[in-house]
PDB file of all heavy atoms in Angstrom:
ATOM      1  N   LEU A  14      87.769  96.971 127.722  1.00 95.00           N
ATOM      2  CA  LEU A  14      87.907  98.241 127.015  1.00 95.00           C
ATOM      3  C   LEU A  14      88.044  98.041 125.506  1.00 95.00           C
ATOM      4  O   LEU A  14      87.686  98.927 124.736  1.00 95.00           O
ATOM      5  CB  LEU A  14      89.120  99.011 127.548  1.00 95.00           C
ATOM      6  CG  LEU A  14      88.950  99.629 128.939  1.00 95.00           C
ATOM      7  CD1 LEU A  14      90.283 100.138 129.466  1.00 95.00           C
ATOM      8  CD2 LEU A  14      87.930 100.757 128.902  1.00 95.00           C
ATOM      9  N   ARG A  15      88.566  96.907 125.099  1.00 97.00           N
ATOM     10  CA  ARG A  15      88.589  96.625 123.658  1.00 97.00           C
ATOM     11  C   ARG A  15      87.184  96.438 123.120  1.00 97.00           C
ATOM     12  O   ARG A  15      86.773  97.047 122.133  1.00 97.00           O
ATOM     13  CB  ARG A  15      89.418  95.368 123.347  1.00 97.00           C
ATOM     14  CG  ARG A  15      89.444  95.040 121.836  1.00 97.00           C
ATOM     15  CD  ARG A  15      89.832  93.611 121.554  1.00 97.00           C
ATOM     16  NE  ARG A  15      88.826  92.643 121.981  1.00 97.00           N
ATOM     17  CZ  ARG A  15      87.746  92.322 121.290  1.00 97.00           C
ATOM     18  NH1 ARG A  15      87.459  92.926 120.142  1.00 97.00           N
ATOM     19  NH2 ARG A  15      86.910  91.405 121.747  1.00 97.00           N
ATOM     20  N   LEU A  16      86.428  95.593 123.794  1.00 97.00           N
ATOM     21  CA  LEU A  16      85.089  95.252 123.317  1.00 97.00           C
ATOM     22  C   LEU A  16      84.107  96.396 123.540  1.00 97.00           C
ATOM     23  O   LEU A  16      83.195  96.617 122.736  1.00 97.00           O
ATOM     24  CB  LEU A  16      84.609  93.993 124.043  1.00 97.00           C
ATOM     25  CG  LEU A  16      83.379  93.269 123.493  1.00 97.00           C
ATOM     26  CD1 LEU A  16      83.548  92.921 122.007  1.00 97.00           C
ATOM     27  CD2 LEU A  16      83.126  92.000 124.295  1.00 97.00           C
ATOM     28  N   TYR A  17      84.323  97.154 124.612  1.00 95.00           N
ATOM     29  CA  TYR A  17      83.402  98.249 124.961  1.00 95.00           C
ATOM     30  C   TYR A  17      84.172  99.545 125.241  1.00 95.00           C
ATOM     31  O   TYR A  17      84.209 100.015 126.380  1.00 95.00           O
ATOM     32  CB  TYR A  17      82.578  97.872 126.193  1.00 95.00           C
ATOM     33  CG  TYR A  17      81.811  96.583 126.076  1.00 95.00           C
ATOM     34  CD1 TYR A  17      82.259  95.418 126.718  1.00 95.00           C
ATOM     35  CD2 TYR A  17      80.630  96.518 125.335  1.00 95.00           C
ATOM     36  CE1 TYR A  17      81.543  94.230 126.619  1.00 95.00           C
ATOM     37  CE2 TYR A  17      79.919  95.339 125.234  1.00 95.00           C
ATOM     38  CZ  TYR A  17      80.379  94.198 125.878  1.00 95.00           C
ATOM     39  OH  TYR A  17      79.665  93.016 125.781  1.00 95.00           O
ATOM     40  N   PRO A  18      84.802 100.144 124.245  1.00 93.00           N
ATOM     41  CA  PRO A  18      85.502 101.409 124.499  1.00 93.00           C
ATOM     42  C   PRO A  18      84.506 102.501 124.873  1.00 93.00           C
ATOM     43  O   PRO A  18      83.464 102.642 124.217  1.00 93.00           O
ATOM     44  CB  PRO A  18      86.183 101.718 123.160  1.00 93.00           C
ATOM     45  CG  PRO A  18      85.344 101.001 122.136  1.00 93.00           C
ATOM     46  CD  PRO A  18      84.851  99.764 122.813  1.00 93.00           C
ATOM     47  N   PRO A  19      84.766 103.282 125.922  1.00 88.00           N
ATOM     48  CA  PRO A  19      83.812 104.332 126.328  1.00 88.00           C
ATOM     49  C   PRO A  19      83.489 105.307 125.208  1.00 88.00           C
ATOM     50  O   PRO A  19      82.334 105.703 125.035  1.00 88.00           O
ATOM     51  CB  PRO A  19      84.530 105.024 127.490  1.00 88.00           C
ATOM     52  CG  PRO A  19      85.465 103.994 128.025  1.00 88.00           C
ATOM     53  CD  PRO A  19      85.913 103.197 126.835  1.00 88.00           C
ATOM     54  N   LEU A  20      84.510 105.703 124.444  1.00 88.00           N
ATOM     55  CA  LEU A  20      84.322 106.588 123.290  1.00 88.00           C
ATOM     56  C   LEU A  20      84.623 105.821 122.018  1.00 88.00           C
ATOM     57  O   LEU A  20      85.574 105.037 121.967  1.00 88.00           O
ATOM     58  CB  LEU A  20      85.239 107.813 123.386  1.00 88.00           C
ATOM     59  CG  LEU A  20      84.872 108.844 124.452  1.00 88.00           C
ATOM     60  CD1 LEU A  20      85.987 109.884 124.559  1.00 88.00           C
ATOM     61  CD2 LEU A  20      83.558 109.525 124.123  1.00 88.00           C
ATOM     62  N   SER A  21      83.823 106.055 120.985  1.00 92.00           N
ATOM     63  CA  SER A  21      83.986 105.284 119.753  1.00 92.00           C
ATOM     64  C   SER A  21      85.083 105.816 118.853  1.00 92.00           C
ATOM     65  O   SER A  21      85.523 105.133 117.947  1.00 92.00           O
ATOM     66  CB  SER A  21      82.662 105.272 118.978  1.00 92.00           C
ATOM     67  OG  SER A  21      82.327 106.580 118.571  1.00 92.00           O
ATOM     68  N   ARG A  22      85.547 107.060 119.109  1.00 93.00           N
ATOM     69  CA  ARG A  22      86.552 107.648 118.218  1.00 93.00           C
ATOM     70  C   ARG A  22      87.417 108.649 118.968  1.00 93.00           C
ATOM     71  O   ARG A  22      87.057 109.127 120.038  1.00 93.00           O
ATOM     72  CB  ARG A  22      85.876 108.336 117.034  1.00 93.00           C
ATOM     73  CG  ARG A  22      84.954 109.449 117.436  1.00 93.00           C
ATOM     74  CD  ARG A  22      84.143 109.953 116.256  1.00 93.00           C
ATOM     75  NE  ARG A  22      84.549 111.286 115.830  1.00 93.00           N
ATOM     76  CZ  ARG A  22      83.904 112.001 114.932  1.00 93.00           C
ATOM     77  NH1 ARG A  22      82.845 111.510 114.311  1.00 93.00           N
ATOM     78  NH2 ARG A  22      84.325 113.190 114.591  1.00 93.00           N
ATOM     79  N   ILE A  23      88.551 108.962 118.381  1.00 95.00           N
ATOM     80  CA  ILE A  23      89.482 109.957 118.898  1.00 95.00           C
ATOM     81  C   ILE A  23      89.534 111.097 117.884  1.00 95.00           C
ATOM     82  O   ILE A  23      89.707 110.852 116.684  1.00 95.00           O
ATOM     83  CB  ILE A  23      90.888 109.347 119.075  1.00 95.00           C
ATOM     84  CG1 ILE A  23      90.832 108.190 120.069  1.00 95.00           C
ATOM     85  CG2 ILE A  23      91.887 110.401 119.517  1.00 95.00           C
ATOM     86  CD1 ILE A  23      92.058 107.310 120.031  1.00 95.00           C
ATOM     87  N   ASP A  24      89.383 112.322 118.350  1.00 95.00           N
ATOM     88  CA  ASP A  24      89.342 113.466 117.445  1.00 95.00           C
ATOM     89  C   ASP A  24      90.555 114.373 117.629  1.00 95.00           C
ATOM     90  O   ASP A  24      91.015 114.587 118.744  1.00 95.00           O
ATOM     91  CB  ASP A  24      88.070 114.276 117.689  1.00 95.00           C
ATOM     92  CG  ASP A  24      86.834 113.572 117.183  1.00 95.00           C
ATOM     93  OD1 ASP A  24      86.633 113.554 115.966  1.00 95.00           O
ATOM     94  OD2 ASP A  24      86.067 113.026 118.014  1.00 95.00           O
ATOM     95  N   ARG A  25      91.028 114.903 116.524  1.00 95.00           N
ATOM     96  CA  ARG A  25      92.097 115.895 116.515  1.00 95.00           C
ATOM     97  C   ARG A  25      91.798 116.941 115.442  1.00 95.00           C
ATOM     98  O   ARG A  25      90.989 116.705 114.543  1.00 95.00           O
ATOM     99  CB  ARG A  25      93.454 115.244 116.198  1.00 95.00           C
ATOM    100  CG  ARG A  25      93.951 114.256 117.239  1.00 95.00           C
ATOM    101  CD  ARG A  25      94.412 114.968 118.499  1.00 95.00           C
ATOM    102  NE  ARG A  25      95.048 114.060 119.446  1.00 95.00           N
ATOM    103  CZ  ARG A  25      94.416 113.400 120.391  1.00 95.00           C
ATOM    104  NH1 ARG A  25      93.097 113.529 120.512  1.00 95.00           N
ATOM    105  NH2 ARG A  25      95.067 112.605 121.225  1.00 95.00           N
ATOM    106  N   THR A  26      92.470 118.081 115.538  1.00 95.00           N
ATOM    107  CA  THR A  26      92.417 119.074 114.469  1.00 95.00           C
ATOM    108  C   THR A  26      93.837 119.338 113.978  1.00 95.00           C
ATOM    109  O   THR A  26      94.806 119.190 114.741  1.00 95.00           O
ATOM    110  CB  THR A  26      91.796 120.406 114.928  1.00 95.00           C
ATOM    111  OG1 THR A  26      92.528 120.892 116.051  1.00 95.00           O
ATOM    112  CG2 THR A  26      90.346 120.215 115.325  1.00 95.00           C
ATOM    113  N   VAL A  27      93.955 119.723 112.730  1.00 96.00           N
ATOM    114  CA  VAL A  27      95.257 120.018 112.145  1.00 96.00           C
ATOM    115  C   VAL A  27      95.691 121.392 112.649  1.00 96.00           C
ATOM    116  O   VAL A  27      95.013 122.395 112.412  1.00 96.00           O
ATOM    117  CB  VAL A  27      95.192 120.009 110.609  1.00 96.00           C
ATOM    118  CG1 VAL A  27      96.550 120.385 110.018  1.00 96.00           C
ATOM    119  CG2 VAL A  27      94.767 118.632 110.107  1.00 96.00           C
ATOM    120  N   THR A  28      96.816 121.427 113.362  1.00 95.00           N
ATOM    121  CA  THR A  28      97.329 122.693 113.892  1.00 95.00           C
ATOM    122  C   THR A  28      98.406 123.301 113.000  1.00 95.00           C
ATOM    123  O   THR A  28      98.672 124.502 113.089  1.00 95.00           O
ATOM    124  CB  THR A  28      97.894 122.488 115.310  1.00 95.00           C
ATOM    125  OG1 THR A  28      98.821 121.383 115.293  1.00 95.00           O
ATOM    126  CG2 THR A  28      96.780 122.157 116.282  1.00 95.00           C
ATOM    127  N   LYS A  29      99.025 122.468 112.151  1.00 95.00           N
ATOM    128  CA  LYS A  29      99.975 122.955 111.149  1.00 95.00           C
ATOM    129  C   LYS A  29      99.774 122.124 109.884  1.00 95.00           C
ATOM    130  O   LYS A  29      99.696 120.887 109.974  1.00 95.00           O
ATOM    131  CB  LYS A  29     101.424 122.804 111.639  1.00 95.00           C
ATOM    132  CG  LYS A  29     101.793 123.731 112.774  1.00 95.00           C
ATOM    133  CD  LYS A  29     103.305 123.796 112.995  1.00 95.00           C
ATOM    134  CE  LYS A  29     103.829 122.501 113.586  1.00 95.00           C
ATOM    135  NZ  LYS A  29     105.277 122.612 113.932  1.00 95.00           N
ATOM    136  N   PRO A  30      99.666 122.757 108.709  1.00 95.00           N
ATOM    137  CA  PRO A  30      99.435 122.001 107.460  1.00 95.00           C
ATOM    138  C   PRO A  30     100.492 120.926 107.252  1.00 95.00           C
ATOM    139  O   PRO A  30     101.656 121.085 107.614  1.00 95.00           O
ATOM    140  CB  PRO A  30      99.525 123.081 106.384  1.00 95.00           C
ATOM    141  CG  PRO A  30      99.186 124.351 107.087  1.00 95.00           C
ATOM    142  CD  PRO A  30      99.752 124.207 108.472  1.00 95.00           C
ATOM    143  N   ILE A  31     100.061 119.815 106.668  1.00 95.00           N
ATOM    144  CA  ILE A  31     100.959 118.681 106.464  1.00 95.00           C
ATOM    145  C   ILE A  31     100.400 117.800 105.348  1.00 95.00           C
ATOM    146  O   ILE A  31      99.184 117.780 105.116  1.00 95.00           O
ATOM    147  CB  ILE A  31     101.112 117.861 107.774  1.00 95.00           C
ATOM    148  CG1 ILE A  31     102.189 116.789 107.638  1.00 95.00           C
ATOM    149  CG2 ILE A  31      99.773 117.255 108.199  1.00 95.00           C
ATOM    150  CD1 ILE A  31     102.481 116.042 108.954  1.00 95.00           C
ATOM    151  N   ASP A  32     101.273 117.083 104.658  1.00 93.00           N
ATOM    152  CA  ASP A  32     100.851 116.066 103.689  1.00 93.00           C
ATOM    153  C   ASP A  32     100.818 114.719 104.401  1.00 93.00           C
ATOM    154  O   ASP A  32     101.808 114.316 105.016  1.00 93.00           O
ATOM    155  CB  ASP A  32     101.815 115.998 102.510  1.00 93.00           C
ATOM    156  CG  ASP A  32     101.579 117.108 101.501  1.00 93.00           C
ATOM    157  OD1 ASP A  32     100.651 117.906 101.731  1.00 93.00           O
ATOM    158  OD2 ASP A  32     102.310 117.181 100.506  1.00 93.00           O
ATOM    159  N   LEU A  33      99.679 114.051 104.332  1.00 92.00           N
ATOM    160  CA  LEU A  33      99.522 112.736 104.944  1.00 92.00           C
ATOM    161  C   LEU A  33      99.297 111.709 103.858  1.00 92.00           C
ATOM    162  O   LEU A  33      98.233 111.662 103.233  1.00 92.00           O
ATOM    163  CB  LEU A  33      98.335 112.737 105.925  1.00 92.00           C
ATOM    164  CG  LEU A  33      98.107 111.442 106.702  1.00 92.00           C
ATOM    165  CD1 LEU A  33      99.217 111.239 107.733  1.00 92.00           C
ATOM    166  CD2 LEU A  33      96.751 111.466 107.400  1.00 92.00           C
ATOM    167  N   ASN A  34     100.331 110.921 103.599  1.00 89.00           N
ATOM    168  CA  ASN A  34     100.217 109.864 102.581  1.00 89.00           C
ATOM    169  C   ASN A  34      99.750 110.438 101.231  1.00 89.00           C
ATOM    170  O   ASN A  34      98.951 109.828 100.532  1.00 89.00           O
ATOM    171  CB  ASN A  34      99.249 108.781 103.055  1.00 89.00           C
ATOM    172  CG  ASN A  34      99.550 107.429 102.434  1.00 89.00           C
ATOM    173  OD1 ASN A  34     100.714 107.092 102.205  1.00 89.00           O
ATOM    174  ND2 ASN A  34      98.513 106.663 102.158  1.00 89.00           N
ATOM    175  N   GLY A  35     100.261 111.625 100.881  1.00 90.00           N
ATOM    176  CA  GLY A  35      99.909 112.248  99.607  1.00 90.00           C
ATOM    177  C   GLY A  35      98.705 113.166  99.647  1.00 90.00           C
ATOM    178  O   GLY A  35      98.395 113.827  98.648  1.00 90.00           O
ATOM    179  N   LEU A  36      98.008 113.223 100.786  1.00 93.00           N
ATOM    180  CA  LEU A  36      96.831 114.089 100.913  1.00 93.00           C
ATOM    181  C   LEU A  36      97.207 115.330 101.713  1.00 93.00           C
ATOM    182  O   LEU A  36      97.700 115.230 102.833  1.00 93.00           O
ATOM    183  CB  LEU A  36      95.701 113.340 101.619  1.00 93.00           C
ATOM    184  CG  LEU A  36      94.420 114.143 101.886  1.00 93.00           C
ATOM    185  CD1 LEU A  36      93.736 114.525 100.578  1.00 93.00           C
ATOM    186  CD2 LEU A  36      93.469 113.359 102.777  1.00 93.00           C
ATOM    187  N   LYS A  37      96.964 116.506 101.139  1.00 94.00           N
ATOM    188  CA  LYS A  37      97.275 117.746 101.814  1.00 94.00           C
ATOM    189  C   LYS A  37      96.208 118.055 102.855  1.00 94.00           C
ATOM    190  O   LYS A  37      95.014 118.139 102.539  1.00 94.00           O
ATOM    191  CB  LYS A  37      97.372 118.900 100.813  1.00 94.00           C
ATOM    192  CG  LYS A  37      97.771 120.223 101.457  1.00 94.00           C
ATOM    193  CD  LYS A  37      97.832 121.346 100.434  1.00 94.00           C
ATOM    194  CE  LYS A  37      98.194 122.669 101.102  1.00 94.00           C
ATOM    195  NZ  LYS A  37      98.220 123.784 100.121  1.00 94.00           N
ATOM    196  N   LEU A  38      96.637 118.234 104.091  1.00 95.00           N
ATOM    197  CA  LEU A  38      95.726 118.571 105.185  1.00 95.00           C
ATOM    198  C   LEU A  38      95.964 120.015 105.588  1.00 95.00           C
ATOM    199  O   LEU A  38      97.070 120.390 105.979  1.00 95.00           O
ATOM    200  CB  LEU A  38      95.955 117.635 106.383  1.00 95.00           C
ATOM    201  CG  LEU A  38      95.811 116.131 106.128  1.00 95.00           C
ATOM    202  CD1 LEU A  38      96.032 115.359 107.424  1.00 95.00           C
ATOM    203  CD2 LEU A  38      94.460 115.803 105.536  1.00 95.00           C
ATOM    204  N   ASP A  39      94.931 120.821 105.496  1.00 94.00           N
ATOM    205  CA  ASP A  39      95.039 122.239 105.809  1.00 94.00           C
ATOM    206  C   ASP A  39      94.766 122.507 107.280  1.00 94.00           C
ATOM    207  O   ASP A  39      94.169 121.681 107.990  1.00 94.00           O
ATOM    208  CB  ASP A  39      94.056 123.045 104.950  1.00 94.00           C
ATOM    209  CG  ASP A  39      94.383 122.950 103.471  1.00 94.00           C
ATOM    210  OD1 ASP A  39      95.592 122.947 103.135  1.00 94.00           O
ATOM    211  OD2 ASP A  39      93.437 122.846 102.663  1.00 94.00           O
ATOM    212  N   TYR A  40      95.160 123.684 107.714  1.00 94.00           N
ATOM    213  CA  TYR A  40      94.942 124.103 109.102  1.00 94.00           C
ATOM    214  C   TYR A  40      93.464 124.001 109.484  1.00 94.00           C
ATOM    215  O   TYR A  40      92.574 124.355 108.714  1.00 94.00           O
ATOM    216  CB  TYR A  40      95.407 125.562 109.278  1.00 94.00           C
ATOM    217  CG  TYR A  40      95.060 126.147 110.615  1.00 94.00           C
ATOM    218  CD1 TYR A  40      95.763 125.786 111.765  1.00 94.00           C
ATOM    219  CD2 TYR A  40      94.007 127.054 110.737  1.00 94.00           C
ATOM    220  CE1 TYR A  40      95.434 126.320 113.000  1.00 94.00           C
ATOM    221  CE2 TYR A  40      93.667 127.598 111.968  1.00 94.00           C
ATOM    222  CZ  TYR A  40      94.382 127.223 113.095  1.00 94.00           C
ATOM    223  OH  TYR A  40      94.040 127.744 114.321  1.00 94.00           O
ATOM    224  N   ASN A  41      93.223 123.476 110.668  1.00 92.00           N
ATOM    225  CA  ASN A  41      91.890 123.366 111.278  1.00 92.00           C
ATOM    226  C   ASN A  41      91.026 122.253 110.694  1.00 92.00           C
ATOM    227  O   ASN A  41      89.852 122.125 111.053  1.00 92.00           O
ATOM    228  CB  ASN A  41      91.127 124.698 111.179  1.00 92.00           C
ATOM    229  CG  ASN A  41      90.212 124.895 112.377  1.00 92.00           C
ATOM    230  OD1 ASN A  41      90.532 124.485 113.492  1.00 92.00           O
ATOM    231  ND2 ASN A  41      89.059 125.513 112.155  1.00 92.00           N
ATOM    232  N   MET A  42      91.592 121.431 109.809  1.00 95.00           N
ATOM    233  CA  MET A  42      90.820 120.296 109.288  1.00 95.00           C
ATOM    234  C   MET A  42      90.602 119.284 110.409  1.00 95.00           C
ATOM    235  O   MET A  42      91.470 119.067 111.257  1.00 95.00           O
ATOM    236  CB  MET A  42      91.553 119.643 108.116  1.00 95.00           C
ATOM    237  CG  MET A  42      90.760 118.523 107.445  1.00 95.00           C
ATOM    238  SD  MET A  42      91.623 117.842 105.994  1.00 95.00           S
ATOM    239  CE  MET A  42      91.410 119.193 104.838  1.00 95.00           C
ATOM    240  N   ARG A  43      89.438 118.674 110.443  1.00 95.00           N
ATOM    241  CA  ARG A  43      89.076 117.716 111.500  1.00 95.00           C
ATOM    242  C   ARG A  43      89.542 116.304 111.125  1.00 95.00           C
ATOM    243  O   ARG A  43      89.311 115.840 110.003  1.00 95.00           O
ATOM    244  CB  ARG A  43      87.564 117.730 111.697  1.00 95.00           C
ATOM    245  CG  ARG A  43      87.049 116.864 112.832  1.00 95.00           C
ATOM    246  CD  ARG A  43      87.328 117.451 114.181  1.00 95.00           C
ATOM    247  NE  ARG A  43      86.696 118.746 114.373  1.00 95.00           N
ATOM    248  CZ  ARG A  43      85.457 118.912 114.819  1.00 95.00           C
ATOM    249  NH1 ARG A  43      84.695 117.879 115.090  1.00 95.00           N
ATOM    250  NH2 ARG A  43      84.971 120.134 114.997  1.00 95.00           N
ATOM    251  N   ILE A  44      90.192 115.650 112.089  1.00 97.00           N
ATOM    252  CA  ILE A  44      90.682 114.280 111.916  1.00 97.00           C
ATOM    253  C   ILE A  44      90.005 113.395 112.959  1.00 97.00           C
ATOM    254  O   ILE A  44      89.851 113.792 114.112  1.00 97.00           O
ATOM    255  CB  ILE A  44      92.209 114.202 112.116  1.00 97.00           C
ATOM    256  CG1 ILE A  44      92.938 115.213 111.221  1.00 97.00           C
ATOM    257  CG2 ILE A  44      92.719 112.784 111.847  1.00 97.00           C
ATOM    258  CD1 ILE A  44      92.787 114.980 109.747  1.00 97.00           C
ATOM    259  N   ALA A  45      89.599 112.184 112.563  1.00 96.00           N
ATOM    260  CA  ALA A  45      88.982 111.231 113.499  1.00 96.00           C
ATOM    261  C   ALA A  45      89.628 109.856 113.334  1.00 96.00           C
ATOM    262  O   ALA A  45      89.934 109.435 112.217  1.00 96.00           O
ATOM    263  CB  ALA A  45      87.478 111.147 113.269  1.00 96.00           C
ATOM    264  N   ILE A  46      89.828 109.190 114.447  1.00 97.00           N
ATOM    265  CA  ILE A  46      90.383 107.834 114.455  1.00 97.00           C
ATOM    266  C   ILE A  46      89.317 106.910 115.036  1.00 97.00           C
ATOM    267  O   ILE A  46      88.917 107.069 116.198  1.00 97.00           O
ATOM    268  CB  ILE A  46      91.674 107.773 115.288  1.00 97.00           C
ATOM    269  CG1 ILE A  46      92.737 108.674 114.644  1.00 97.00           C
ATOM    270  CG2 ILE A  46      92.181 106.347 115.399  1.00 97.00           C
ATOM    271  CD1 ILE A  46      93.938 108.938 115.529  1.00 97.00           C
ATOM    272  N   PRO A  47      88.818 105.953 114.238  1.00 97.00           N
ATOM    273  CA  PRO A  47      87.679 105.116 114.667  1.00 97.00           C
ATOM    274  C   PRO A  47      88.092 103.985 115.601  1.00 97.00           C
ATOM    275  O   PRO A  47      88.184 102.821 115.198  1.00 97.00           O
ATOM    276  CB  PRO A  47      87.147 104.579 113.337  1.00 97.00           C
ATOM    277  CG  PRO A  47      88.358 104.496 112.460  1.00 97.00           C
ATOM    278  CD  PRO A  47      89.246 105.648 112.868  1.00 97.00           C
ATOM    279  N   ALA A  48      88.307 104.304 116.862  1.00 96.00           N
ATOM    280  CA  ALA A  48      88.769 103.303 117.833  1.00 96.00           C
ATOM    281  C   ALA A  48      87.839 102.106 117.900  1.00 96.00           C
ATOM    282  O   ALA A  48      88.284 100.955 117.928  1.00 96.00           O
ATOM    283  CB  ALA A  48      88.911 103.949 119.210  1.00 96.00           C
ATOM    284  N   SER A  49      86.544 102.346 117.913  1.00 96.00           N
ATOM    285  CA  SER A  49      85.580 101.250 118.008  1.00 96.00           C
ATOM    286  C   SER A  49      85.682 100.307 116.810  1.00 96.00           C
ATOM    287  O   SER A  49      85.572  99.087 116.951  1.00 96.00           O
ATOM    288  CB  SER A  49      84.161 101.819 118.116  1.00 96.00           C
ATOM    289  OG  SER A  49      83.220 100.798 118.316  1.00 96.00           O
ATOM    290  N   GLY A  50      85.913 100.866 115.625  1.00 97.00           N
ATOM    291  CA  GLY A  50      86.090 100.034 114.436  1.00 97.00           C
ATOM    292  C   GLY A  50      87.350  99.200 114.514  1.00 97.00           C
ATOM    293  O   GLY A  50      87.337  97.995 114.206  1.00 97.00           O
ATOM    294  N   LEU A  51      88.458  99.812 114.917  1.00 97.00           N
ATOM    295  CA  LEU A  51      89.721  99.086 115.058  1.00 97.00           C
ATOM    296  C   LEU A  51      89.599  97.967 116.079  1.00 97.00           C
ATOM    297  O   LEU A  51      90.102  96.856 115.875  1.00 97.00           O
ATOM    298  CB  LEU A  51      90.829 100.051 115.480  1.00 97.00           C
ATOM    299  CG  LEU A  51      91.265 101.087 114.439  1.00 97.00           C
ATOM    300  CD1 LEU A  51      92.000 102.241 115.125  1.00 97.00           C
ATOM    301  CD2 LEU A  51      92.148 100.459 113.372  1.00 97.00           C
ATOM    302  N   HIS A  52      88.914  98.240 117.190  1.00 98.00           N
ATOM    303  CA  HIS A  52      88.776  97.252 118.267  1.00 98.00           C
ATOM    304  C   HIS A  52      87.949  96.052 117.855  1.00 98.00           C
ATOM    305  O   HIS A  52      88.038  94.987 118.485  1.00 98.00           O
ATOM    306  CB  HIS A  52      88.125  97.903 119.493  1.00 98.00           C
ATOM    307  CG  HIS A  52      89.022  98.845 120.218  1.00 98.00           C
ATOM    308  ND1 HIS A  52      88.749  99.310 121.485  1.00 98.00           N
ATOM    309  CD2 HIS A  52      90.196  99.426 119.868  1.00 98.00           C
ATOM    310  CE1 HIS A  52      89.714 100.130 121.876  1.00 98.00           C
ATOM    311  NE2 HIS A  52      90.595 100.225 120.905  1.00 98.00           N
ATOM    312  N   HIS A  53      87.117  96.204 116.824  1.00 97.00           N
ATOM    313  CA  HIS A  53      86.250  95.108 116.385  1.00 97.00           C
ATOM    314  C   HIS A  53      86.668  94.534 115.035  1.00 97.00           C
ATOM    315  O   HIS A  53      85.900  93.822 114.397  1.00 97.00           O
ATOM    316  CB  HIS A  53      84.796  95.596 116.316  1.00 97.00           C
ATOM    317  CG  HIS A  53      84.172  95.844 117.649  1.00 97.00           C
ATOM    318  ND1 HIS A  53      84.389  97.005 118.362  1.00 97.00           N
ATOM    319  CD2 HIS A  53      83.347  95.087 118.418  1.00 97.00           C
ATOM    320  CE1 HIS A  53      83.713  96.939 119.506  1.00 97.00           C
ATOM    321  NE2 HIS A  53      83.092  95.796 119.567  1.00 97.00           N
ATOM    322  N   ASP A  54      87.881  94.844 114.622  1.00 97.00           N
ATOM    323  CA  ASP A  54      88.379  94.373 113.322  1.00 97.00           C
ATOM    324  C   ASP A  54      88.943  92.957 113.477  1.00 97.00           C
ATOM    325  O   ASP A  54      89.913  92.748 114.216  1.00 97.00           O
ATOM    326  CB  ASP A  54      89.469  95.323 112.827  1.00 97.00           C
ATOM    327  CG  ASP A  54      89.887  95.033 111.384  1.00 97.00           C
ATOM    328  OD1 ASP A  54      89.709  93.885 110.931  1.00 97.00           O
ATOM    329  OD2 ASP A  54      90.387  95.959 110.722  1.00 97.00           O
TER     330      ASP A  54
END
């Protein structure tokens, strides 16, 4: 599963505004986590 993850990324949407590491994220903004990239780092 590390070498061959079925999905290459994990997706979320912002449900409540928040500051992430100094970046303001507004409601409904799309967030992606590149699982395939992390697994091959």
Side-chain angles (χ1 to χ4, degrees):
L14 287 170
R15 179 199 69 81
L16 193 54
Y17 304 104
L20 288 172
S21 64
R22 60 189 250 188
I23 299 165
D24 288 285
R25 295 288 187 270
T26 56
V27 177
T28 51
K29 291 194 289 186
I31 188 174
D32 281 359
L33 183 70
N34 206 35
L36 177 66
K37 183 181 178 182
L38 303 182
D39 296 322
Y40 172 75
N41 212 34
M42 185 176 288
R43 184 74 61 87
I44 307 296
I46 297 167
S49 185
L51 291 161
H52 287 194
H53 289 81
D54 189 336

